[in-house]
């Protein structure tokens, strides 16, 4: 790798879609800052090992997207280590099950602080360090991005809200030739969806897979490669858009 190789920051890259993206970038010659949240059990060293196996380059940086200072330090790590920042991916997210009757202000605010304001912080810190050709992607969800989901109104509100954020940032940063887009994943097998309390769990995912036109739930790599496309120059005239990655789940008519 040389100083010409592009550099990405990815929040929540110690697991799931973020980990798969770091590996995807390694294969594309994009260097990464692997964002890891210390409060979680995921191992960022495993992401780094997979990046190295793919002959890539990356460094690990702790980041808590609830803190503007932490996100600034995170984005700055790319500049300090590699001398540039080209891509920022706001992937970190949490999912909690909370019916409306139990939706305290605290639960609501905790969710939005990560899944919506955390995205703002990542885009803001990223854009401040990017030059022409920079590109940012936020990870939404079909829950909120397309559908409602009982017990998850705060999550859905955050995932819908970030689509408006992305459109506005795209308009604002267009003159600087910095792009902003979103992906809207369907059901993807990751630690988040495998959690049977807050999400579908293994059995729920298997059952849901039978009803997806593609015949199964998605793999993290199948979202990562779309994020890779949306940050790459192959999509250089695409900005302010969102792309659903769901194996046909949302276009299937149910009687
Ligand atoms: P995941 O749980 O493996 O990844 C989420 C990551 O976010 C974790 O690594 C976690 O440590 C990190 N994180 C949590 N709180 C954080 C904080 N305060 N600061 C920084 N990082 C924090 O699950 P995933 O499915 O790979 O999730 C990635 C994104 O995809 C999330 O935004 C999620 O909502 C979204 N998504 C997932 C699915 C799915 O079916 N798995 C569907 C739609 C959208």
């Amino acid at each position: 790798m040389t100083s010409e190789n592009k550099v990405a920051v990815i929040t929540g890259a110690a697991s799931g879609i973020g980990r798969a993206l770091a590996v995807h970038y390694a294969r594309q010659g994009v260097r990464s800052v692997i964002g890891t949240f210390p409060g979680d059990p995921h191992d960022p060293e495993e992401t780094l090992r997979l990046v190295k196996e793919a002959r890539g380059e990356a460094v690990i940086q702790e980041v808590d997207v609830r803190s503007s200072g932490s996100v600034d330090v995170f984005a700055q790590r790319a500049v300090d280590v590699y001398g540039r920042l080209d891509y920022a991916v706001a992937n970190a997210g949490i999912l909690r099950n909370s019916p409306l009757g139990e939706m305290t202000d605290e639960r609501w605010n905790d969710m939005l602080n990560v899944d919506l304001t955390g995205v703002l912080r990542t885009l803001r810190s990223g854009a401040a360090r990017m030059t022409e050709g920079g590109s940012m992607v936020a990870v939404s969800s079909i829950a909120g991005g397309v559908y409602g989901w009982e017990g998850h109104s705060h999550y859905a509100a955050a995932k819908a809200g970030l689509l408006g954020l992305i459109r506005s940032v795209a308009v604002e940063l267009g003159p600087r030739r910095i792009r902003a887009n979103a992906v809207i994943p369907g059901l993807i097998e990751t630690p988040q969806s495998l959690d049977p309390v807050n999400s579908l769990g293994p059995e729920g995912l298997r059952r849901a897979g039978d009803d997806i036109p593609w015949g199964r739930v998605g793999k993290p790599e199948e979202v990562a490669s779309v994020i890779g496309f949306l940050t790459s120059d192959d999509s250089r005239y695409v900005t302010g858009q969102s792309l659903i990655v769901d194996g046909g789940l949302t276009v299937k008519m149910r009687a």
Side-chain angles (χ1 to χ4, degrees):
M1 301 252 184
T2 71
S3 59
E4 298 295 300
N5 288 79
K6 297 206 165 166
V7 175
V9 289
I10 312 165
T11 61
S15 61
I17 294 167
R19 170 177 286 168
L21 181 60
V23 176
H24 174 85
Y25 276 152
R27 296 202 182 103
Q28 304 296 316
V30 175
R31 298 169 289 173
S32 293
V33 177
I34 297 167
T36 181
F37 180 52
D40 279 349
H42 314 304
D43 183 8
E45 293 293 342
E46 177 59 11
T47 305
L48 187 59
R49 190 189 68 72
L50 292 168
V51 164
K52 287 185 175 157
E53 199 175 83
R55 298 179 182 280
E57 257 183 53
V59 290
I60 295 169
Q61 175 65 44
E62 285 188 2
V63 62
D64 180 350
V65 300
R66 296 173 300 182
S67 154
S68 296
S70 172
V71 177
D72 275 343
V73 168
F74 171 64
Q76 185 58 32
R77 184 83 194 277
V79 179
D80 292 347
V81 175
Y82 297 121
R84 59 190 289 167
L85 176 60
D86 301 281
Y87 307 150
V89 180
N91 165 73
I94 53 171
L95 177 65
R96 302 277 182 267
N97 195 339
S98 186
L100 202 54
E102 297 164 22
M103 185 67 75
T104 58
D105 286 5
E106 193 182 7
R107 284 185 178 187
W108 176 268
N109 289 332
D110 285 351
M111 172 61 70
L112 266 69
N113 199 10
V114 178
D115 284 26
L116 183 56
T117 317
V119 173
L120 163 74
R121 294 185 182 104
T122 306
L123 304 183
R124 186 176 59 197
S125 296
R129 290 164 178 81
M130 281 177 190
T131 53
E132 193 166 306
S135 186
M136 308 197 283
V137 170
V139 181
S140 176
S141 171
I142 56 166
V146 180
Y147 292 136
W149 189 9
E150 75 271 19
H152 296 83
S153 55
H154 50 355
Y155 179 79
K159 295 300 190 183
L162 76 80
L163 298 176
L165 169 63
I166 280 291
R167 291 186 192 109
S168 303
V169 165
V171 172
E172 196 170 320
L173 298 183
R176 286 178 54 198
R177 298 289 183 267
I178 295 171
R179 300 182 299 117
N181 291 289
V183 288
I184 304 182
L187 293 171
I188 312 298
E189 189 171 327
T190 69
Q192 183 182 89
S193 59
L194 286 166
D195 171 359
V197 176
N198 295 299
S199 188
L200 298 188
E203 183 52 27
L205 282 179
R206 194 196 54 71
R207 272 200 312 272
D210 291 343
D211 197 37
I212 294 173
W214 206 254
R216 59 164 175 79
V217 299
K219 301 173 184 168
E221 301 77 37
E222 291 164 337
V223 179
S225 57
V226 176
I227 298 174
F229 163 69
L230 285 174
T231 47
S232 78
D233 284 349
D234 286 344
S235 62
R236 63 189 166 274
Y237 199 54
V238 179
T239 193
Q241 299 302 308
S242 52
L243 188 45
I244 298 175
V245 186
D246 72 348
L249 190 160
T250 54
V251 291
K252 180 174 173 181
M253 188 169 75
R254 288 167 183 82

